[in-house]
Amino acid sequence: MIRKDQHLYLALLLPAIIVLLLFIAAPIINSFFLSFHRIIIGLPQLKTPFVALDNYLQLLKDPIARHSFFITIIFVALTTFFELLIGLFLALLIHHRFPGRGALRACVLIPWAIPTVVSAQMWRYLFNDAYGVINYMIFGANTNSYIPWLALPTTALSSIIVADIWKTSSFAALLILAGLQVIPEELYQAAKVDGAIVWQRFRHITWPLIRPALLIALLFRTIDAFRVFDLAFVMTQGGPADATNVLQLYGYKKMFVEGWMGYGSAVSVCIFIIVLVIAVAYVKMVGRRLLEANV
Amino acid sequence: MKTIKIMTIFLGIVVLSCTNVKSTWAEKPTNIVFLTWKPNQPEVWDTVIENFHQKNPDIHIKVQVGPHSSTQYHAIVAQRLKNMDKSVDVFFMDVIWPPEFANAGWALDLSSKFSVEEQNKFLSGPITANTYQGKIYGVPCYLGAGLFYYREDLLKKYHFKPPTLWKEMLKQGEVILKGENEQGLHIYSGQFKQYEGLVCNMMEFIWSNGGAVIEQKTGKVLLNDPTVVKSLEFVRDKIIARAAPRGVINYEEPESLDLFIQGKTIFHRNWPYAWAVANDQKKSKIAGKVGVGIIPAFQGHNSASTLGGWQFGINNYSMHAQKAWRFVQFMTSHETQKILALDAGLAPTRRSVYQDPEVQEKRPHLNAFLPAFKNTRPRPLSPVYPMISQELQRFFSHAITESGSDISEMAAASSARIEKFFALGAMIPK
């Protein structure tokens, strides 16, 4: 009887496994495969020779890739930090009971629900040097002091960071809110009886109990931030002077614009490995924290 | 049992609908798929294609629209052609692609269809750009060239002639700025974002200083040549954040043109399409006040315009090459080019259209474009042009963005990378 059951389980699992293999495993394996070859689609006469680790060795020596890696790290660090901070703040805010809370919760999610390409386009207008609202809000009618945000290397990167924080803070808030909601109300009531003030209640009840949720939000945000592509693609195309040429965009340009499939795949595989390492490290940490929380 | 029943019914419907499609298929005209991007005046293109349908009832043109940006459109066309996708018959090609498409075997060799005699009826610039190793791979549809637009009313007011030198442009600009004393008014705007348009703009500065990026014959990279470095320094020190607002570093054509048609710049560099926009009463504050001519030059050197424009190519793997060719022939005929010139404002590639009395009467500015069209020079002709262009964009953007940067040091690094690309091209077995 049990054997029969197992067959049924397997049969029911099969569609999911096939879909996963087809749409997740196959492309990843193919990327690995491509990255060991020299494939230049504009020069098919060169065929597609196997070059072992040549693409990776070149990548290590590539100053442009190093620069891209560096700015991607800056992007990841700043966006994740601020997104978690703002997300925590938003979550605490919409966790409280007040009239119109449902509507507000829905509103908080709007930035996250807008497709990135659309919001990137919107931010591009907001940051425009001649008619952008941001310049108008800061300098009013004094057009001579308007800052060309997207034309200066440092402000261009900051602009993309701001756009990302605006967009995904609400996602972090959602995850943290889920963590907040599992905290039993009785703990707060007991603390109030003991005379704990707001800060003490936050420090000793909320904070330790939402740490697992925070870590999960951190995991998702870091991984997502590492793969940033669309914001830079729409807002700056990687410019000026490569200031926003994030790693993923660099890989895209190599692969689809220059037609250098092997090299571009090597970039993608590197991003994949970096993200995988981060994910494993976090999951181990989160797992331990979860256990600690249960004790 | 119920599931099986439903499945059978469903299958039955699928099979029936398939046979249905098949039976009507035979009577339908051949579908020719034309891969293009969304033009500025789609209604004019629709009319032209409708004209073709009326004259060729055995062919139906299916238009597939790609992204407007040349680089992104290239990514899509290249992907489909590389996969020997037979579902594309005719595609639009930017002027820089024929060598790549020819070398990769994506574009059909049109030499047997497009005779030399016929080729001579077109302007020579785009014909050269469509020729690779002695064979022709595309038929030019319309021409692009860097044009120099200016505010005729302001120049007249201060008794200036259109500048022929960059220095002269700056001087005139200073005087006009002082006289007008208008907040937000600038001397110049162009395209300086890190993208293909940056290459086009910078080439014109380099050529008009007697320089070149690559020596076409030997393939030598000349980025570190003093003529190149000097012209880049001029752009960095005199144009960006001086004559032009610093924002141009993130401007493509539409944003820079906006500045001009809002009356915020005196001089402007753009392609021929800008003429119609700048003179459109509804969009432009300077309609009727615009002059156009050739790009200025540096002292002692000649003006040059970057060659642009689009061509028709035929997929090497198309099943209907003969019918596709009929479409291309129609689209590049005198009649069609005339309609495109009159109604869409596109610059014809056929010499005869410029002599057409109706075109001369209704589009007199086309003759004003001719001097610039005769001054056109192509960007480097190479099958690895996309790689070269990415590197040039990076180099130019660095050079003009960072004030006080060491341009020749960057030039050395970029040259080395471009030479590596050429080395790849040289590995092709002959």
Side-chain angles (χ1 to χ4, degrees):
Chain A
M1 198 60 204
I2 289 168
R3 275 208 73 81
K4 240 187 184 172
D5 261 7
Q6 259 179 354
H7 280 299
L8 186 64
Y9 291 151
L10 277 178
L12 289 175
L13 273 177
L14 206 62
I17 290 172
I18 288 174
V19 167
L20 282 177
L21 283 178
L22 211 63
F23 292 103
I24 295 180
I28 292 174
I29 292 166
N30 195 35
S31 287
F32 271 94
F33 177 80
L34 290 175
S35 72
F36 295 126
H37 292 75
R38 188 181 61 223
I39 307 166
I40 296 162
I41 58 172
L43 300 173
Q45 293 94 332
L46 295 185
K47 306 279 192 316
T48 55
F50 177 76
V51 291
L53 290 174
D54 197 37
N55 284 328
Y56 292 93
L57 294 176
Q58 271 191 54
L59 190 58
L60 280 178
K61 285 185 283 180
D62 183 346
I64 303 156
R66 213 173 304 145
H67 171 77
S68 292
F69 180 71
F70 178 65
I71 52 171
T72 310
I73 295 281
I74 295 178
F75 178 87
V76 171
L78 288 176
T79 53
T80 346
F81 175 75
F82 283 107
E83 276 160 22
L84 286 188
L85 196 71
I86 296 170
L88 178 63
F89 177 74
L90 281 175
L92 290 172
L93 201 71
I94 56 179
H95 182 54
H96 275 281
R97 263 177 228 287
F98 55 88
R101 181 176 73 161
L104 190 69
R105 276 188 184 177
C107 286
V108 164
L109 274 181
I110 288 176
W112 186 61
I114 298 175
T116 317
V117 177
V118 177
S119 60
Q121 199 64 263
M122 185 188 84
W123 279 99
R124 199 163 75 98
Y125 286 122
L126 292 179
F127 278 120
N128 184 286
D129 67 308
Y131 49 78
V133 177
I134 293 176
N135 271 324
Y136 184 73
M137 279 178 0
I138 301 175
F139 303 106
N142 183 14
T143 49
N144 286 334
S145 356
Y146 277 19
I147 295 171
W149 300 99
L150 298 174
L152 297 162
T154 41
T155 51
L157 183 59
S158 319
S159 304
I160 288 175
I161 291 174
V162 167
D164 193 67
I165 294 173
W166 174 83
K167 190 183 150 52
T168 22
S169 288
S170 50
F171 175 67
L174 192 71
L175 288 176
I176 298 168
L177 181 66
L180 278 176
Q181 280 176 334
V182 298
I183 303 176
E185 197 55 35
E186 297 81 40
L187 288 177
Y188 290 105
Q189 283 164 359
K192 269 188 205 163
V193 171
D194 291 339
I197 59 165
V198 177
W199 168 248
Q200 286 169 325
R201 271 180 275 155
F202 174 77
R203 174 71 190 81
H204 296 287
I205 301 172
T206 316
W207 180 249
L209 289 178
I210 57 160
R211 268 207 319 222
L214 264 176
L215 272 170
I216 288 170
L218 186 67
L219 165 74
F220 274 110
R221 285 312 313 142
T222 325
I223 290 174
D224 236 23
F226 238 103
R227 301 178 307 169
V228 58
F229 168 78
D230 25 19
L231 280 172
F233 182 78
V234 173
M235 287 171 72
T236 57
Q237 289 273 318
D242 274 349
T244 56
N245 195 26
V246 289
L247 212 47
Q248 191 83 298
L249 187 58
Y250 182 60
Y252 161 83
K253 281 182 181 169
K254 277 278 168 230
M255 207 182 298
F256 293 105
V257 178
E258 299 185 21
W260 205 316
M261 300 301 279
Y263 197 71
S265 299
V267 176
S268 309
V269 168
C270 284
I271 298 172
F272 172 73
I273 291 172
I274 294 170
V275 166
L276 194 71
V277 167
I278 297 172
V280 169
Y282 274 152
V283 165
K284 285 216 157 142
M285 262 161 58
V286 173
R288 217 179 61 219
R289 300 275 164 166
L290 277 177
L291 282 177
E292 278 172 11
N294 282 343
V295 170
Chain B
M1 270 322 274
K2 206 178 169 193
T3 352
I4 292 171
K5 246 186 207 164
I6 293 173
M7 288 288 270
T8 335
I9 292 170
F10 179 71
L11 263 178
I13 292 171
V14 170
V15 169
L16 266 179
S17 52
C18 282
T19 48
N20 215 2
V21 168
K22 251 196 177 161
S23 64
T24 49
W25 198 251
E27 296 141 33
K28 265 193 178 168
T30 321
N31 273 323
I32 294 289
V33 176
F34 172 37
L35 185 57
T36 178
W37 38 265
K38 187 170 178 282
N40 290 326
Q41 282 92 356
E43 65 288 348
V44 182
W45 287 85
D46 290 347
T47 325
V48 168
I49 289 171
E50 207 33 62
N51 290 347
F52 177 78
H53 282 158
Q54 269 165 13
K55 287 193 183 148
N56 299 275
D58 58 326
I59 300 175
H60 179 77
I61 302 299
K62 265 178 80 179
V63 180
Q64 289 183 356
V65 180
H68 197 88
S69 142
S70 165
T71 310
Q72 285 157 40
Y73 173 66
H74 175 269
I76 286 179
V77 180
Q79 277 296 315
R80 293 186 63 173
L81 296 180
K82 146 184 122 49
N83 296 334
M84 304 183 187
D85 184 346
K86 289 189 179 62
S87 70
V88 182
D89 299 293
V90 180
F91 52 85
F92 233 12
M93 249 190 313
D94 200 343
V95 74
I96 43 189
W97 304 347
E100 181 196 4
F101 282 33
N103 176 65
W106 300 336
L108 187 69
D109 173 11
L110 301 175
S111 305
S112 61
K113 300 181 170 76
F114 193 20
S115 67
V116 176
E117 196 196 339
E118 190 65 18
Q119 288 175 28
N120 286 336
K121 293 179 181 163
F122 287 78
L123 292 169
S124 59
I127 290 293
T128 315
N130 278 296
T131 311
Y132 182 69
Q133 295 182 343
K135 292 171 182 162
I136 190 142
Y137 292 88
V139 186
C141 171
Y142 69 89
L143 192 74
L147 295 172
F148 186 68
Y149 294 87
Y150 51 87
R151 286 282 297 280
E152 210 162 34
D153 58 325
L154 284 177
L155 290 192
K156 260 195 193 136
K157 188 174 162 188
Y158 292 87
H159 310 292
F160 286 135
K161 276 186 190 160
T164 52
L165 295 177
W166 290 114
K167 254 193 195 155
E168 208 182 339
M169 176 190 92
L170 296 182
K171 250 186 215 157
Q172 294 182 356
E174 299 290 343
V175 174
I176 295 173
L177 285 194
K178 216 175 240 173
E180 293 296 302
N181 195 23
E182 188 191 320
Q183 202 189 16
L185 185 65
H186 291 274
I187 299 175
Y188 182 77
S189 74
Q191 300 83 41
F192 296 94
K193 184 175 178 170
Q194 191 173 348
Y195 82 121
E196 186 61 40
L198 177 64
V199 177
C200 301
N201 277 252
M202 298 313 294
M203 287 298 201
E204 285 160 358
F205 282 101
I206 292 168
W207 286 328
S208 67
N209 196 23
V213 166
I214 286 152
E215 202 174 43
Q216 194 65 46
K217 272 188 198 146
T218 56
K220 206 172 149 217
V221 184
L222 303 172
L223 291 184
N224 219 344
D225 196 80
T227 51
V228 175
V229 177
K230 282 248 169 65
S231 35
L232 296 188
E233 279 170 352
F234 174 81
V235 175
R236 182 190 68 190
D237 302 334
K238 297 285 186 332
I239 300 286
I240 306 294
R242 302 283 191 290
R246 185 178 282 277
V248 292
I249 280 190
N250 199 41
Y251 279 7
E252 293 185 19
E253 284 87 356
E255 297 96 333
S256 61
L257 178 58
D258 259 355
L259 222 51
F260 183 60
I261 63 176
Q262 294 296 323
K264 295 291 180 199
T265 62
I266 307 162
F267 303 103
H268 175 61
R269 183 264 177 215
N270 211 322
W271 305 100
Y273 86 95
W275 176 267
V277 185
N279 282 305
D280 184 338
Q281 299 280 358
K282 277 178 244 156
K283 291 181 196 155
S284 168
K285 286 188 182 164
I286 54 160
K289 300 174 185 170
V290 187
V292 66
I294 57 170
I295 307 262
F298 289 92
Q299 187 86 50
H301 296 288
N302 292 327
S303 154
S305 291
T306 303
L307 177 69
W310 289 79
Q311 359 285 318
F312 293 101
I314 297 179
N315 182 357
N316 209 359
Y317 303 99
S318 165
M319 313 272 279
H320 315 287
Q322 211 47 46
K323 284 181 173 166
W325 171 247
R326 267 164 61 198
F327 175 61
V328 172
Q329 254 181 326
F330 179 86
M331 293 302 280
T332 52
S333 63
H334 180 95
E335 287 68 34
T336 308
Q337 289 216 339
K338 191 174 153 183
I339 297 174
L340 291 177
L342 290 176
D343 300 339
L346 300 178
T349 50
R350 248 179 211 279
R351 294 169 197 268
S352 60
V353 185
Y354 289 90
Q355 267 112 49
D356 192 293
E358 202 186 341
V359 174
Q360 281 185 339
E361 192 201 321
K362 287 183 178 157
R363 294 277 174 194
H365 63 274
L366 277 179
N367 281 315
F369 290 174
L370 265 180
F373 289 171
K374 288 183 178 151
N375 261 340
T376 52
R377 292 178 64 171
R379 283 160 269 173
L381 297 166
S382 160
V384 290
Y385 181 74
M387 298 180 191
I388 299 172
S389 169
Q390 283 296 315
E391 190 51 45
L392 288 177
Q393 291 170 30
R394 172 170 300 119
F395 169 60
F396 292 147
S397 188
H398 272 284
I400 62 169
T401 306
E402 296 151 358
S403 52
S405 53
D406 186 350
I407 292 182
S408 40
E409 196 187 303
M410 291 185 289
S414 275
S415 301
R417 281 196 282 268
I418 292 177
E419 268 154 12
K420 240 164 125 189
F421 302 149
F422 280 135
L424 283 171
M427 281 163 62
I428 298 174
K430 290 273 147 67

